[in-house]
Each structure stands twice: as C-alpha cells, then as structure tokens.
Amino acid sequence: MSLVVGAGLFIGGRWAYERRRREELLSAPLQPAHKKIVRARVPVYNRLPLDLRKRLDGLINRFIDEVKFYGQEGLEITDDIRVTIAAQACLLIVNKDNRWFRSLRSIFVYPAAFKSKLLSVDGHVHSERAAVRTGESWSRGPVILAWDHAAYGAFAPHDGENVVLHEFAHQLDDETGVTDGSPLLDADQSASQWARTFQRAFKRLRDDVHEGRDTVINPYGATNPAEFFAVATELFFERPNDLREHDRELYDQLTHYYRLDPIEWY
Ligand SMILES: [Zn+2]
C-alpha cells in the first residue's frame, strides 16, 4: 500500500469515526448531572416542547464535546459553566437543521466583566483603549464571555438581555464571512425581504435613538446592522410578545430564520 493511499484510508476512517461519534452525541439524552444544571440554571429549557428539548440535549452534548473552554483570571471551568453556556448558545440553532457554529473552537470565560483592548486607527496613529466588556465574538475565532453575566442572562429569561444569545447571534451572522446583520438564510427565505425588513427596522431604531425616544429594541442595536441583529435576537427569545407587537414583520423574519416561535413557550 502506498503512503498516500494509507494516509487517505486513515483520514477517511477518522472522518467516519468522528461522524459516528457526533451522531451518537446528538441522539443521546443529557447526563443526569447536566440535566440538573440546565433545569436549574436555564429555566427556558423547562418551557420547551419535548421534541425541542430532546434536540437541545443532543446539541449540548456535542457542544461540550467539541468546544474547548478556557477559564481566565483564575476561573476554574466547571460543568455548571459549560452546560449553562452551551444550552443558551444551542438554543439559537435548536430547530435549524444541521446548523453548527462551524468556526468556533474555543470559549474564553472571565469571572466578571473584562477589559478588552480595542485598536483604533486615526490617520497613521494606532492607539489602544481599554473597554469593559461582558462578551465578545471574534470573526472566525473564539467567543469571550463574562461568567456572571452569562449566568444571570440565563436565569433572567424575560429582561430582553442575554449576552450568550447576543454573541452567538454574531457567530451565526459571521457564517457568510462578513458580520453585517445578514446571516446565511435557508433557501426558502427571501434575502431581499430580509434586507428590506431589517433596513427599515434599523433606520427606525436609529431615528428613535437620535430623537431621544424610548425604544423597545435595545438602543445599542443602533450602532450598526450587526449589533441590530444581535439585540433583536435577544429580544426575540426573551420578550417575544413585545417584539411582535412592536414590529410584526421583523418578528416574522426572525421566526422564519430561527424556525422557532418563542411566544408558544410562554
Ligand atoms: Zn455585539
């Protein structure tokens, strides 16, 4: 057997093994200890219909198996941390067939809000300024989270704010190669309809913020279309009634995209 053929068989065998392992994880129930964590720390789980709960169990299994967690500033990574973050992240894709956070390999978890060094370019001068963050999503890279905010976001599912949903919405948005508020749509969803709806809603939020009016959608969404998609996602999952009442078309686009209707859970 030539070296090339041998290497090919090895890679093919490994690929088949990994695929089988993934399928087993996706169809397995949660371990009892993990189930206990998710029931206590992520209350929305208890509201989900049984079929979605089963799918979420499998996705959590896969997430914990494939994504590496790194504790920062002395934080020890525990099952509490892994399961709580995995459950919220996977809620986004629980009903999207075969979707995954393809470029995600690692999550860095800080105990609390952390300092992020942002590079700003002014002419030829690059200056760094430290910003305090509760989460970051890097294009083609890791997600960074503050554990206290990630835990609270799960535990308070109706305040419309959830840092894990926010950062993982950016990860989905990034699937096209550009994080711009236009994620990869399934073939049965119209890209032009999506663009029209989101541009209109984004402009409305910008105008409201500019005029100092109260907004249903977090004003941070007026920063740019990518942030708008991320905060609209938070509201969609946590205060679906409010979002639908505020902007039915936007709600319908998100229902189509996530293939979920969170109003049914409450
Ligand atoms: Zn963001």
Side-chain angles (χ1 to χ4, degrees), residues 1-260:
M1 193 178 358
S2 79
L3 210 59
V4 175
V5 173
L9 283 174
F10 174 74
I11 292 167
R14 189 170 170 79
W15 184 79
Y17 165 78
E18 279 173 3
R19 198 182 132 150
R20 206 166 46 242
R21 179 181 166 79
R22 182 173 298 162
E23 276 162 11
E24 278 169 15
L25 287 166
L26 286 172
S27 58
L30 275 181
Q31 295 171 25
H34 291 175
K35 185 90 147 183
K36 212 170 149 189
I37 294 170
V38 82
R39 280 196 178 283
R41 285 192 171 271
V42 190
V44 68
Y45 178 87
N46 304 310
R47 295 269 182 183
L48 296 178
L50 193 60
D51 59 326
L52 288 184
R53 225 184 291 161
K54 279 187 178 162
R55 293 175 71 124
L56 190 57
D57 285 2
L59 289 166
I60 296 169
N61 288 334
R62 179 179 174 187
F63 196 97
I64 290 171
D65 186 65
E66 291 185 15
V67 180
K68 296 273 173 284
F69 287 72
Y70 298 94
Q72 304 295 295
E73 296 176 348
L75 181 71
E76 189 197 334
I77 296 295
T78 59
D79 278 354
D80 260 357
I81 294 176
R82 286 192 196 92
V83 172
T84 304
I85 291 172
Q88 296 175 84
C90 293
L91 184 62
L92 295 179
I93 52 169
V94 69
N95 212 29
K96 285 176 80 65
D97 263 349
N98 295 318
R99 291 297 271 278
W100 190 245
F101 304 105
R102 263 179 263 151
S103 54
L104 182 75
R105 300 283 177 276
S106 38
I107 300 183
F108 295 88
V109 190
Y110 285 82
F114 53 93
K115 274 191 179 166
S116 167
K117 280 190 176 170
L118 295 176
L119 197 65
S120 65
V121 183
D122 180 15
H124 295 292
V125 182
H126 292 245
S127 58
E128 276 187 348
R129 66 188 175 86
V132 176
R133 296 288 185 95
T134 56
E136 276 180 2
S137 168
W138 289 47
S139 184
R140 296 281 174 271
V143 165
I144 309 173
L145 293 165
W147 166 235
D148 60 348
H149 284 73
Y152 184 75
F155 196 68
H158 304 302
D159 63 1
E161 293 188 15
N162 184 304
V163 68
V164 180
L165 296 180
H166 183 108
E167 303 308 338
F168 281 85
H170 283 320
Q171 287 279 311
L172 289 177
D173 189 2
D174 191 50
E175 266 188 314
T176 54
V178 195
T179 315
D180 60 355
S182 305
L184 197 61
L185 302 178
D186 290 329
D188 65 352
Q189 187 162 18
S190 156
S192 57
Q193 184 64 46
W194 175 280
R196 265 198 307 278
T197 303
F198 272 76
Q199 280 163 13
R200 177 193 47 69
F202 176 61
K203 185 181 178 306
R204 180 179 174 188
L205 181 64
R206 281 195 94 135
D207 290 348
D208 285 347
V209 170
H210 186 71
E211 299 297 328
R213 290 189 283 264
D214 285 345
T215 62
V216 173
I217 298 172
N218 187 332
Y220 184 61
T223 311
N224 58 46
E227 295 307 340
F228 183 84
F229 171 62
V231 300
T233 292
E234 292 177 75
L235 202 59
F236 173 74
F237 280 93
E238 297 218 330
R239 286 169 46 206
N241 275 305
D242 290 346
L243 180 61
R244 191 172 69 165
E245 203 172 291
H246 170 69
D247 191 331
R248 180 68 196 250
E249 248 179 71
L250 182 60
Y251 186 84
D252 289 346
Q253 285 297 322
L254 289 167
T255 304
H256 194 154
Y257 175 70
Y258 287 112
R259 300 194 173 271
L260 295 169

